[in-house]
Amino acid sequence: MKTTHFSITGLVQGVGYRAWLCRKAGMLGLAGWCKNKSDGSVEAVVTGDPEKVDALLLAVQQGPVGADVKAVTLLGEAPEEEGAFRIEH
């Protein structure tokens, strides 16, 4: 299992990014969460098969139609997540 904590910056709020990320992570069978941050970014933690986590990290660099991702930044360590991927508020 691999756990990755990251932040996505750019035009990623108000474009359905979190819902898209939740669907994409769910299709890959990943656990974790995502949430909007007050600075306009989206923060996420994902846990799962290393190849699937890496596939999600590639996908988040593009995001959904309407998003304009500027950067995906790996953050510090995070505890392993369990259960369905979810949107936190």
Side-chain angles (χ1 to χ4, degrees):
M1 296 296 262
K2 177 179 182 176
T3 299
T4 303
H5 183 198
F6 57 96
S7 175
I8 306 110
T9 56
L11 179 58
V12 294
Q13 289 189 16
V15 294
Y17 197 98
R18 290 177 302 152
W20 171 87
L21 178 54
C22 194
R23 283 191 306 275
K24 190 66 114 174
M27 288 188 309
L28 291 167
L30 299 171
W33 53 266
C34 65
K35 66 180 177 181
N36 282 342
K37 300 293 286 184
S38 61
D39 65 1
S41 67
V42 171
E43 179 183 8
V45 173
V46 296
T47 298
D49 176 82
E51 289 180 5
K52 292 180 179 181
V53 170
D54 291 345
L56 183 69
L57 285 173
L58 283 175
V60 299
Q61 294 175 35
Q62 181 68 39
V65 172
D68 184 15
V69 176
K70 297 294 184 202
V72 177
T73 305
L74 296 179
L75 303 174
E77 296 290 317
E80 188 173 294
E81 292 289 325
E82 295 180 345
F85 194 90
R86 65 199 179 277
I87 296 172
E88 296 205 335
H89 302 281

